[in-house]
Amino acid sequence: MNTVVANKAEQALGDRPAATTNEPNMRPDQTMLALRWYGKADVRVEEVPVPTVTEPTDVICKVTGTTVCGSDLHLYHREILQLQQGDILGHEWMGVVDEVGSEVKNVKKGDRVVASFQIACGQCQFCKEGLTSMCDRTNSSSLQEKLYGKPFAGLFGYTHFAGGFAGGQAEYVRCPFADTNLLKIPDSVPDEKALFLSDIIPTSYHSTVCAEVGPGKSVAIWGLGPVGLYACKWSKLAGARRVIAIDSVPERLAMAKGKIGCDVIDFSQQTDVVKAIYELEPNGVDCAIDAAAFRYTKGLLHTVQRAVGLETDSSEIVNECLRATRKFGHIALVADYAALTNQFLIGALMEKGLTLRGTGQSPVQLYWHELLKKIETGEFDPTIILSHRFPIDEFSELYAAFDKKELGIMKTFVQTKFSSPPSKGAPTLSSLRDGTIKPSTIHQ
């Protein structure tokens, strides 16, 4: 099912009821810059209206930091359902509170805050259990409900399949249910360290929890994007005996080995990844984490099947996890998988007694306060993967470069007119448009 068919299906089904609107009111005669989706590999920074408080639990923030995520590339390549032209993208953002709804109690104008990438109501059963990413009341997609049985929470800037909310790759964002979805940041934590609390810090941590990583265990992690590299670091901090990091990008492998202390496997050189893992761990690894995502195929079979629509997701990496994990071991899928796959090795799952767990979208609020403390104490430094800083008006060029894994770009801080100057040791401003790209700070 492509995004055009998906939108028609949603129109036929009708939206499911939601506790908040995805169509906020706008401030008259005030505009902002925002990144909008128009088609495959077609994203544009445009001037659009600024949202205003629409419901009493809303907050409007001036964005002081945003970024592009690996999962945004699924949108860039039109691989997630229910994209609509003009959608404002971006699910990772932070800012300063600019306007406050009458029922908001936890934040006030001028507070520095980071937003959860998911939008949770704070009142449903799942929210009360701390499982905010599974909020029952914020996602209006009937199509997702039809496909999955029940939908996950609405997300900022991640298509109408995830609620159709405007995202954070913009100068202003409306945050519904602000008391639940905004976290105040202390002055001791600079923006560059706070921003990634919106998603990849709790997401990577959650993946190690779901894989049951712990002292003395061996761990294999497929995919060394920001989430995969953070998962390597969290695994080391959890006391893992050995962490095996798998990718083909030299800079990522070098960081995993040199800065985090992992064994590494370059699958472009060692094509039999499972064999390479058993050479290091003869019984297989205790824990496996797939942080690579459905769109990365290796062999011709899955490449063709995805190209002609016989599957949406490749099972290749999942099957490697199933083969490489020890009997009665644990596997966590933190990479984005969307729908259907072929050639799934279900026999290994059953006969080896494996636990294969989808992590779901990470319940950010469950971990927020604990992880903020780890950042404050210096136990965890989010900037280990922060390579560059760019201006918001170059988002189109940044998507293209990030997609091609060019220029050593690993994770970026995208500034707006409201951003503070770079903090000490953080990347200074680069420009793709002018060709003035500063060296990646993670290799210094």
Side-chain angles (χ1 to χ4, degrees), residues 75-95:
L75 310 182
Y76 189 65
H77 289 280
R78 201 172 58 192
E79 293 171 325
I80 302 296
L81 303 177
Q82 291 185 254
L83 279 158
Q84 295 181 13
Q85 288 193 345
D87 283 348
I88 297 175
L89 304 186
H91 57 276
E92 296 175 276
W93 61 276
M94 67 173 300

Side-chain angles (χ1 to χ4, degrees), residues 130-148:
L131 305 176
T132 47
S133 59
M134 298 300 166
C135 176
D136 252 343
R137 301 174 65 231
T138 56
N139 191 343
S140 60
S141 176
S142 293
L143 180 63
Q144 189 184 134
E145 186 169 48
K146 189 78 171 175
L147 184 62
Y148 293 168

Side-chain angles (χ1 to χ4, degrees), residues 130-209:
L131 305 176
T132 47
S133 59
M134 298 300 166
C135 176
D136 252 343
R137 301 174 65 231
T138 56
N139 191 343
S140 60
S141 176
S142 293
L143 180 63
Q144 189 184 134
E145 186 169 48
K146 189 78 171 175
L147 184 62
Y148 293 168
K150 286 288 186 178
F152 53 67
L155 309 179
F156 285 105
Y158 213 77
T159 86
H160 294 258
F161 193 66
F165 293 93
Q169 291 169 355
E171 291 180 320
Y172 289 85
V173 182
R174 167 189 172 246
C175 180
F177 302 115
D179 281 341
T180 299
N181 299 307
L182 294 177
L183 176 70
K184 285 197 285 190
I185 300 300
D187 292 341
S188 60
V189 177
D191 288 356
E192 293 91 344
K193 292 187 177 183
L195 172 59
F196 302 142
L197 280 164
S198 58
D199 177 4
I200 60 172
I201 295 172
T203 293
S204 56
Y205 185 79
H206 180 61
S207 75
T208 64
V209 173

